[in-house]
């Protein structure tokens, strides 16, 4: 049985210099999908020069951030002393834990010299018991991301979070969660089976896609119901397309989000701000 669609939306967009950023989650219909509480999409844009300054240092607490860069280069630095640089197809994961200040710098890829930038940033909510842990950081290059070629050369699937048919990524998970990047060639299709009570959404960054017999537009965020069933993806166009599928088991603890902090109570939000202003998150050196 095919899963039903709960809603679809195109989110909101804002320009940051040469970059156009679309806020897909939270949106007017949903605050989270499984443990995912935030998704920004950096649409394809040309950046002519490499800049040394970051996007702006800021704190986080209670979440893990995940940056997946399709085209371009991202440099990370934080107050725990972690640094890292990923190139097109790479992934950066940072557990904010009990508090950290970080910054990221988006540039075109110095390895390929392509001027395009395109990517995603997710926030993954941590269970209450993990929110007080020490921060951590992992940088993964494109050749380390698990990938499986689909049958009949229909395309491929990359596992960015979680696992799929024996492919397991090294990013830590604290609940059942997944993030897949699916690439479908022209005229091809692919299906995923979802278990009961799993929250799941799709984002369509490049072209229109037919999801369970309904065509959705480029730039749409589509959430499905929580019944067990199948998600069938069809590429009805004459060029290859890309789709992100992500979600996981429901986050059942209370969620209180304010600014860069995601905690379980309003009191914990107040503590997060108090500790930040008291300098307990350290400084980026």
């Amino acid at each position: 049985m095919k899963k039903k669609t709960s809603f679809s939306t195109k989110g909101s967009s804002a320009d940051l210099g040469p970059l156009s950023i679309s806020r897909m989650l939270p949106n007017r219909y949903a605050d989270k999908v499984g443990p995912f509480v935030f998704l920004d999409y950096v649409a394809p844009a040309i950046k002519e020069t490499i800049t040394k300054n970051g996007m702006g240092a800021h704190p986080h607490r209670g979440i893990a951030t995940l940056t997946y860069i399709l085209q371009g280069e991202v440099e990370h630095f934080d107050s725990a002393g972690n640094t890292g640089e990923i190139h097109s197809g790479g992934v950066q994961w940072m557990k904010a834990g009990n508090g950290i200040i970080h910054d990221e710098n988006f540039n075109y890829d110095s390895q390929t010299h392509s001027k395009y930038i395109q990517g995603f940033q997710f926030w993954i909510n941590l269970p209450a018991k993990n929110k007080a842990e020490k921060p951590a950081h992992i940088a993964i290059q494109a050749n380390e991301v698990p990938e499986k070629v689909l049958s009949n050369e229909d395309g491929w699937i990359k596992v960015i979070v979680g696992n799929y048919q024996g492919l397991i990524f090294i990013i830590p998970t604290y609940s059942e969660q997944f993030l897949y990047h699916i690439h479908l060639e022209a005229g091809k299709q692919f299906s995923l089976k979802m278990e009961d009570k799993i929250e799941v959404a799709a984002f369509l960054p490049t072209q229109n896609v037919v999801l369970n017999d309904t065509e959705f537009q480029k730039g749409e965020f589509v959430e499905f119901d929580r019944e067990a069933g199948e998600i069938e993806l069809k590429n009805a166009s004459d060029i290859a397309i890309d789709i992100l599928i992500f979600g996981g088991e429901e986050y059942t603890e209370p969620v209180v989000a304010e600014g860069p902090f995601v905690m379980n109570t309003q009191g914990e939000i107040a503590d997060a701000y108090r500790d930040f202003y008291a300098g307990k998150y350290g400084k980026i050196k």
Side-chain angles (χ1 to χ4, degrees):
M1 184 176 67
K2 294 179 180 179
K3 293 175 70 64
K4 296 179 181 178
T5 301
S6 299
F7 69 86
S8 63
T9 183
K10 284 201 170 184
S12 58
S13 297
D15 292 335
L16 185 60
L19 305 181
S20 178
I21 300 176
S22 297
R23 177 68 45 83
M24 307 311 304
L25 186 70
N27 55 57
R28 59 178 175 165
Y29 301 108
D31 293 326
K32 56 186 175 67
V33 180
F36 295 89
V37 294
F38 179 95
L39 168 57
D40 266 1
Y41 171 52
V42 181
I46 294 176
K47 190 173 183 182
E48 294 287 354
T49 59
I50 290 180
T51 55
K52 297 299 183 183
N53 296 327
M55 307 289 284
H58 55 278
H60 284 300
R61 190 171 189 166
I63 59 170
T65 64
L66 185 145
T67 302
Y68 178 35
I69 188 76
L70 296 185
Q71 301 180 84
E73 180 177 297
V74 181
E75 185 180 8
H76 166 95
F77 20 92
D78 62 45
S79 57
N82 300 308
T83 61
E85 185 176 276
I86 57 171
H87 300 268
S88 300
V91 181
Q92 296 232 42
W93 175 88
M94 182 193 74
K95 180 173 69 175
N98 61 5
I100 198 169
I101 298 172
H102 84 132
D103 201 353
E104 290 181 304
N105 194 18
F106 285 73
N107 282 304
Y108 68 76
D109 196 330
S110 61
Q111 293 184 346
T112 64
H113 302 291
S114 168
K115 298 297 178 73
Y116 278 95
I117 296 177
Q118 180 187 15
F120 308 88
Q121 184 167 90
F122 291 85
W123 293 3
I124 304 171
N125 199 5
L126 297 174
K129 65 181 180 181
N130 302 108
K131 289 182 181 293
E133 294 177 349
K134 292 182 179 180
H137 172 263
I138 303 173
I140 304 105
Q141 301 304 330
N143 60 2
E144 302 173 275
V145 177
E147 178 179 337
K148 179 183 180 70
V149 176
L150 304 180
S151 60
N152 302 316
E153 298 183 349
D154 288 351
W156 46 256
I157 179 170
K158 290 184 179 180
V159 178
I160 311 302
V161 174
N163 63 82
Y164 174 78
Q165 293 189 353
L167 298 180
I168 302 174
F169 204 17
I170 62 173
I171 287 177
T173 57
Y174 301 91
S175 63
E176 184 177 351
Q177 55 193 254
F178 53 88
L179 168 56
Y180 305 139
H181 176 183
I182 299 164
H183 179 86
L184 282 181
E185 298 296 336
K188 302 297 185 178
Q189 66 183 58
F190 176 68
S191 295
L192 282 167
K193 291 183 179 180
M194 294 291 160
E195 297 177 358
D196 192 35
K197 298 181 180 180
I198 292 297
E199 299 181 356
V200 56
F203 177 59
L204 318 178
T206 57
Q207 299 291 333
N208 294 3
V209 180
V210 178
L211 301 174
N212 289 350
D213 304 317
T214 299
E215 184 173 11
F216 293 92
Q217 305 297 307
K218 169 187 175 181
E220 281 199 90
F221 176 105
V222 183
E223 186 173 313
F224 298 89
D225 67 15
R226 300 182 186 180
E227 302 295 326
E230 185 177 62
I231 300 175
E232 182 185 71
L233 303 86
K234 288 184 180 179
N235 180 3
S237 70
D238 57 1
I239 60 173
I241 61 173
D242 293 277
I243 310 106
L244 291 189
I245 301 285
F246 65 96
E249 63 180 305
E250 181 184 5
Y251 187 94
T252 57
E253 297 171 335
V255 178
V256 181
E258 188 172 314
F261 306 125
V262 182
M263 304 302 293
N264 301 113
T265 68
Q266 194 62 50
E268 290 173 343
I269 291 289
D271 290 340
Y273 275 106
R274 187 179 301 112
D275 289 347
F276 168 61
Y277 288 119
K280 293 185 178 181
Y281 296 178
K283 296 181 179 180
I284 296 175
K285 297 180 180 179

